[in-house]
Amino acid sequence: MKIKCIALDLDRTTLNTAGRLPPANKAAIELAISSGVHVVIASGRAFDTLPEEVLSIPGIKYAVTCNGAAMYDLPAKKCLKRYRLSGTAVEAVMRVTKEEDVTYEAFIDGIAYAGKEYIEDPVRFGATSQAVSYVRKTRRGQEDIAAFIHERKEQLDSMDIVVKEEEKKRELWEKIAHVTEEVYITSSVQQLIEIAHKDAGNRALHFSWICWGSKVKKPRHLEMPIMMWICCASQAAVLPWRMLLRPVRKPRTILRSAVMRMAWHMEYGKF
């Protein structure tokens, strides 16, 4: 089976732990593109926080952001499809977390917002020391992030609960799942509970929409149907992302490894 599309997560997968794109991974991506494979970004990041190192690679045209909540045409900087959280879902999430020692992140129209207390001291809320620079560079600070979210509850692409303790994280996750069925909950970072519209977790829907558009059956945004895809990295993800792009010397080996693993998954449903 010929691979038509590879969708790549970013943090700690395509990017290294420092948030940089290793030369070997860049070479593998460029090789895939030159071979006629469509490479799509699939990340929990907001559009404005996507790394220029990846965006500058010629041939990467599409990105699925905010854990599936928004899909973008990168050259046009245009949102093709968006699944916003409902106001009732946002209120439900805020209601069960308001008395807890947490803070929040909010993502609106591709921009990431966070409480100033989190930006000033991310480690206090469970972020690693390596993440401090990323948080400070990519988040727009709000004095009262909870009030900011309440005022814009109908505008959110997605939101994060920032919570340091793992036990508290599990507790809040269960509470949120209990109070609303309108959300998709995931976590790709130890201190985050990441929340988006329930349809944001439908990865097949995102990529079929990019291929065929929302209402037509023939290819619309891509010129060929997607034969393979890999989904956003998270605790709920089906595929072991960290096995896909390894920092080995030969780019062709990296690409072959990814292609073989995807082909095996498509054929047998597991690795």
Side-chain angles (χ1 to χ4, degrees):
M1 182 186 297
K2 183 179 179 181
I3 304 302
K4 301 292 187 178
C5 178
I6 300 174
L8 296 175
D9 178 52
L10 294 178
D11 294 290
R12 300 175 310 285
T13 49
T14 303
L15 305 179
N16 59 24
T17 54
R20 303 301 302 272
L21 178 65
N25 285 1
K26 181 179 180 181
I29 292 169
E30 291 173 336
L31 177 61
I33 293 171
S34 68
S35 300
V37 176
H38 289 279
V39 175
V40 177
I41 296 169
S43 176
R45 291 194 183 206
F47 178 75
D48 252 18
T49 70
L50 297 177
E52 186 59 32
E53 281 184 300
V54 178
L55 296 180
S56 63
I57 297 175
I60 298 183
K61 298 179 181 180
Y62 302 98
V64 179
T65 66
C66 290
N67 289 317
M71 288 154 278
Y72 283 87
D73 178 321
L74 294 177
K77 296 184 178 181
K78 177 184 178 182
C79 185
L80 301 172
K81 182 70 175 178
R82 174 175 275 120
Y83 299 95
R84 283 199 169 101
L85 284 164
S86 70
T88 55
V90 173
E91 290 288 359
V93 171
M94 298 300 286
R95 188 166 57 250
V96 299
T97 59
K98 66 180 180 180
E99 301 298 332
E100 305 291 347
D101 183 22
V102 302
T103 187
Y104 306 91
E105 296 183 312
F107 304 93
I108 301 174
D109 294 332
I111 299 173
Y113 300 88
K116 284 192 173 180
E117 68 278 7
Y118 180 50
I119 295 173
E120 291 170 0
D121 189 6
V123 176
R124 174 195 158 198
F125 291 92
T128 63
S129 56
Q130 295 96 324
V132 171
S133 176
Y134 167 71
V135 170
R136 290 176 177 170
K137 286 180 180 178
T138 60
R139 270 51 180 169
R140 300 190 185 186
Q142 297 296 317
E143 290 288 351
D144 188 339
I145 187 64
F148 177 86
I149 290 172
H150 280 295
E151 291 169 5
R152 294 161 179 80
K153 62 184 180 181
E154 301 286 352
Q155 302 173 32
L156 271 63
D157 294 335
S158 61
M159 64 183 293
D160 294 341
I161 314 299
V162 188
V163 53
K164 183 174 183 177
E165 297 179 4
E166 184 62 31
E167 185 176 343
K168 178 60 68 174
K169 179 179 175 180
R170 289 195 294 269
E171 177 188 329
L172 293 178
W173 187 309
E174 292 176 2
K175 285 184 177 180
I176 293 167
H178 179 73
V179 298
T180 177
E181 297 181 349
E182 297 182 45
V183 299
Y184 164 60
I185 310 173
T186 187
S187 179
S188 59
V189 181
Q190 63 184 12
Q191 77 275 14
L192 299 182
I193 301 175
E194 302 165 48
I195 301 168
H197 186 277
K198 61 182 180 180
D199 288 338
N202 189 337
R203 299 170 177 93
L205 179 62
H206 306 327
F207 290 105
S208 63
W209 195 93
I210 289 175
C211 282
W212 293 286
S214 57
K215 295 182 180 178
V216 296
K217 294 183 178 180
K218 60 183 180 180
R220 176 167 147 183
H221 298 300
L222 294 185
E223 297 171 354
M224 59 186 74
I226 289 177
M227 302 298 291
M228 302 275 185
W229 61 82
I230 311 173
C231 308
C232 303
S234 70
Q235 291 180 352
V238 175
L239 308 184
W241 276 88
R242 290 166 181 78
M243 297 172 65
L244 294 173
L245 291 180
R246 295 175 174 174
V248 296
R249 292 184 178 180
K250 296 182 179 180
R252 190 175 298 277
T253 302
I254 301 173
L255 178 62
R256 187 181 300 118
S257 174
V259 168
M260 289 177 67
R261 292 177 190 280
M262 286 188 295
W264 184 267
H265 175 75
M266 292 295 289
E267 182 69 20
Y268 299 105
K270 62 181 179 180
F271 286 99

